[in-house]
């Protein structure tokens, strides 16, 4: 395709990796299939061929067919442009409200939903930086190291999903967020020196937020209740709570009040043994100076 004599490259799957529909996600499949059908019906109603429509919105014909067939999740800019080209009066653009709820894997959506509703989140991490604190580059390096290996498309999808969860920091009113990170997770140069430095800088940035408490558990600390692995406790406005721990209740999420109290006791003990928030930030700043 050319415009005013200049070649214009239409976007295809290589340009937008990781936006496939999970066939096991029934709700996601239903939403994306419905949106695709609306796009196709609107395009056919105005008598526009898929190839012509693709050129008008800047996408390849194959991508248009996949989106219309419910095989690919459309991005917001695609829906906005399609609405304009097909003169849909905002109807197609409005479908983004449904699409954005299913664009990430089901398990990630469920976790993100809980985090978006919680008024208080407390997390202890012993192996890696918590996902809510990770930079995209740090997350990408982690996913690229996993075995069996993810495809590049899967990696980008997972990174986008993890990054989207960090909208919790933008909520108003802001939830109370508490993080305790083992020292070893801060010293591991995931992704190389530059990515590591960016991650430490991100921790300092988040740790200075008024609604965030960030603590470091020094390696020199004695035994504590978190040595069996991660602990998470999410509390909600109605007084209910959900928690999980790698070392309790088979690692499964629980809302049982007795089990929540156990996790709260363990998490509270961990916080008491960790460095205070101000000392923790100074410790991270010192690490940053050593890189």
């Amino acid at each position: 395709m050319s415009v005013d004599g200049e070649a214009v490259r239409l976007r295809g799957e290589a340009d937008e990796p990781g936006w496939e529909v999970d066939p096991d996600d029934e709700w996601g499949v239903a939403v994306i299939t419905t949106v695709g059908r609306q796009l196709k019906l609107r395009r056919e109603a105005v008598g526009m061929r898929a190839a012509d429509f693709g050129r008008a919105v800047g996408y390849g014909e194959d991508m248009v067919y996949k989106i219309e067939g419910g095989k690919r999740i459309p991005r917001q800019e695609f829906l906005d442009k399609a609405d304009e080209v097909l003169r849909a009066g905002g109807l197609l653009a409005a479908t983004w409200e449904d699409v954005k709820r299913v664009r990430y894997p089901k398990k990630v959506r469920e976790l993100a939903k809980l985090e978006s509703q919680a008024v208080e989140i407390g997390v202890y991490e012993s192996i890696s930086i918590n996902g809510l604190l990770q930079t995209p580059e740090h997350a990408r390096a982690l996913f690229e190291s996993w075995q069996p290996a993810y495809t590049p498309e899967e990696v980008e999808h997972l990174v986008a999903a993890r990054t989207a969860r960090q909208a919790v920091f933008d909520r108003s009113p802001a939830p109370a967020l508490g993080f305790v990170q083992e020292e070893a997770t801060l010293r591991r140069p995931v992704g190389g020196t530059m990515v590591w430095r960016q991650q430490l800088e991100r921790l300092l940035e988040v740790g200075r937020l008024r609604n965030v408490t960030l603590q470091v558990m020094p390696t020199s600390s004695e035994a504590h209740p978190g040595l069996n692995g991660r602990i998470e406790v999410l509390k909600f406005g109605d007084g209910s709570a959900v928690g999980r721990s790698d070392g309790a209740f088979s690692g499964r999420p629980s809302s049982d009040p007795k089990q929540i109290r156990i996790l709260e006791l363990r998490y509270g003990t961990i916080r008491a043994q960790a460095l205070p928030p101000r000392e923790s930030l100074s410790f991270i700043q010192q690490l940053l100076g050593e890189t």
Side-chain angles (χ1 to χ4, degrees):
M1 176 184 177
S2 64
V3 177
D4 296 332
E6 295 185 6
V8 176
R9 183 171 176 273
L10 300 178
R11 277 175 291 186
E13 292 189 71
D15 304 292
E16 296 189 355
W19 285 66
E20 295 85 3
V21 181
D22 181 356
D24 295 325
D25 182 359
E26 294 182 2
W27 182 43
V29 170
V31 169
I32 302 306
T33 299
T34 300
V35 171
R37 186 179 299 116
Q38 291 182 46
L39 280 163
K40 183 179 180 180
L41 290 173
R42 177 68 63 168
R43 175 178 62 78
E44 292 178 340
V46 300
M48 182 175 283
R49 297 186 307 161
D52 296 332
F53 171 69
R55 283 192 291 271
V57 297
Y59 280 72
E61 182 179 3
D62 185 56
M63 277 286 282
V64 171
Y65 280 128
K66 287 188 175 182
I67 291 174
E68 290 184 348
K71 305 299 182 183
R72 294 279 298 187
I73 302 173
R75 294 181 185 258
Q76 185 176 15
E77 61 185 46
F78 174 91
L79 294 171
D80 289 343
K81 188 65 175 177
D83 192 278
E84 177 184 339
V85 170
L86 300 177
R87 300 185 180 89
L91 295 177
L92 293 178
T95 62
W96 173 248
E97 292 301 313
D98 295 318
V99 171
K100 70 179 182 181
R101 295 188 178 95
V102 300
R103 56 181 166 163
Y104 301 125
K106 184 177 180 180
K107 289 184 178 179
V108 175
R109 294 204 310 268
E110 292 172 348
L111 176 58
K113 182 178 180 180
L114 289 175
E115 291 171 342
S116 70
Q117 297 173 343
V119 297
E120 182 179 340
I121 299 176
V123 182
Y124 161 75
E125 288 281 2
S126 61
I127 298 176
S128 63
I129 302 294
N130 183 263
L132 290 176
L133 301 173
Q134 291 175 13
T135 65
E137 294 77 16
H138 183 102
R140 183 175 294 104
L142 287 177
F143 288 129
E144 288 177 345
S145 70
W146 286 8
Q147 295 294 332
Y150 289 117
T151 66
E153 292 78 11
E154 290 172 330
V155 168
E156 292 308 313
H157 200 182
L158 290 167
V159 170
R162 178 157 295 181
T163 302
R165 287 173 49 207
Q166 297 176 9
V168 69
F169 291 106
D170 302 322
R171 283 174 49 196
S172 180
L177 305 174
F179 302 92
V180 181
Q181 289 282 161
E182 281 287 343
E183 176 183 340
T185 67
L186 308 180
R187 290 189 176 276
R188 183 171 295 112
V190 174
T193 301
M194 290 304 297
V195 172
W196 182 28
R197 285 186 61 86
Q198 291 172 358
Q199 180 60 69
L200 293 179
E201 290 170 351
R202 173 59 176 168
L203 293 179
L204 290 174
E205 177 186 355
V206 172
R208 295 187 180 111
L209 296 176
R210 294 177 60 187
N211 64 311
V212 174
T213 300
L214 178 59
Q215 295 177 259
V216 176
M217 178 66 76
T219 304
S220 59
S221 175
E222 297 181 358
H224 60 76
L227 293 180
N228 285 331
R230 174 176 49 188
I231 294 175
E232 292 178 278
V233 179
L234 288 77
K235 299 181 180 180
F236 306 96
D238 62 359
S240 63
V242 173
R244 66 173 177 171
S245 171
D246 292 339
F249 323 127
S250 301
R252 297 174 180 173
S254 173
S255 57
D256 183 284
K258 293 182 179 179
Q259 295 180 349
I260 294 297
R261 283 197 292 271
I262 291 174
L263 295 182
E264 288 180 323
L265 174 62
R266 294 179 181 179
Y267 182 62
T269 303
I270 290 170
R271 292 190 65 181
Q273 290 185 232
L275 296 177
R278 182 172 297 180
E279 291 182 28
S280 295
L281 293 181
S282 297
F283 182 87
I284 297 172
Q285 186 69 60
Q286 181 179 345
L287 281 181
L288 189 56
E290 296 174 0
T291 59

